[in-house]
Amino acid sequence: MKKVLSKTTRLNRIYAFKNTVLIVMCLVFMCSCSNDDDRAPSVKTKEISQEIKDLIHFRGDEKAETVMVLIPGGPSTEFATDFVDDLAPIFSPEGILTVTVHQAQTLNPDIVAGTDITLTQAASFNTQSIEMLSNVITYFKDQGRTVYVLGYSFGAFVTQELIANKGIDIANKYLIISGRLDINDVIWQAAAEGKNGYFENGVTPIVELNPHPNVIERNYNRISAELSMNRYTQLFNTIEDLSSITYIYGDSDEAVGSLTTNEVQFLESKNTNIINGPGDHTTTFLNLIPQGLEVAFGIVLQ
């Protein structure tokens, strides 16, 4: 599997790993939370409003004091209900409500079908997705709940765009897995043209010569490109402290590439918690998510 910002379409979709290790984790591991100090001691919550239910898929106690918002790989027109269904059993013993939020293309799949979209249209779709995500998070935070955000692959870029647009305090803490702050120009520019790319050995960007033959895949690439073109080291530079973020990356990530020295140094300068391993795009998630959950949210898998 190579081809990057379309692999934030296929490989990045959670279905690439949902039938493997995560299912085993759900069956074998029990979780406990050691960071209870992050949670409000007495939260008066209620059942989720229908307006919010129309935007989300969820599992767990509707009145739970902690909400885990999962942002999957993609983009895709398929609503990532399996992402929640597979991970919720890990969190439910601690009373965590597990949620994923619709994106523009999951609410209306027709927007990426039929004809090629422009980068401007892709930006509009991503703006809609960020607004829905922000509205859901704000809804729960306004009730006094603790909100954690976990973004993987394309979801990592969505999480970064959320922070860039809404501020670091929009949620309580973040776990960003297999993303990039400043992805190579040649990769996002190719994706903007509907082309596929990947990183050989997680370092060298390789671009296919021709656009993807499938219009939907070309449009997925453009939606990815519109986020990955952003320089998050610049957008985050005004944020003094990023210690609420835990960032996981793999040295041989063929889909988005490994973080560069400059990206790592930037995160370190902002007090970000960084977890690094030798894995590719998928194995980085599978191998490092237990450590990531503990460092980011105090969730210990035993």
Side-chain angles (χ1 to χ4, degrees), residues 14 17 21-23 25-26 29 31 68 70-71 83 86-88 90-91 149-152 175-178 246-249 275-277 280-301:
I14 199 65
F17 52 78
V21 177
L22 280 181
I23 292 179
M25 289 167 62
C26 291
F29 292 131
C31 101
M68 179 76 71
L70 305 178
I71 310 176
F83 199 7
D86 288 340
L87 282 174
I90 298 176
F91 304 130
V149 175
L150 186 161
Y152 166 67
L175 178 57
I176 297 176
I177 307 174
S178 298
T246 298
Y247 212 109
I248 294 178
Y249 74 98
I275 300 172
N276 169 234
D280 62 18
H281 199 64
T282 302
T283 58
T284 293
F285 182 98
L286 297 175
N287 294 340
L288 297 181
I289 192 171
Q291 182 182 356
L293 289 170
E294 181 174 1
V295 172
F297 309 133
I299 296 176
V300 181
L301 302 180

Side-chain angles (χ1 to χ4, degrees), residues 4 9 30 62 77 98 105 165 173 192 209 216 225 260 262:
V4 98
T9 293
M30 297 295 291
E62 290 188 36
T77 54
T98 310
Q105 68 278 355
N165 281 273
K173 291 186 177 181
L209 295 178
I216 294 177
T260 64
N262 182 64

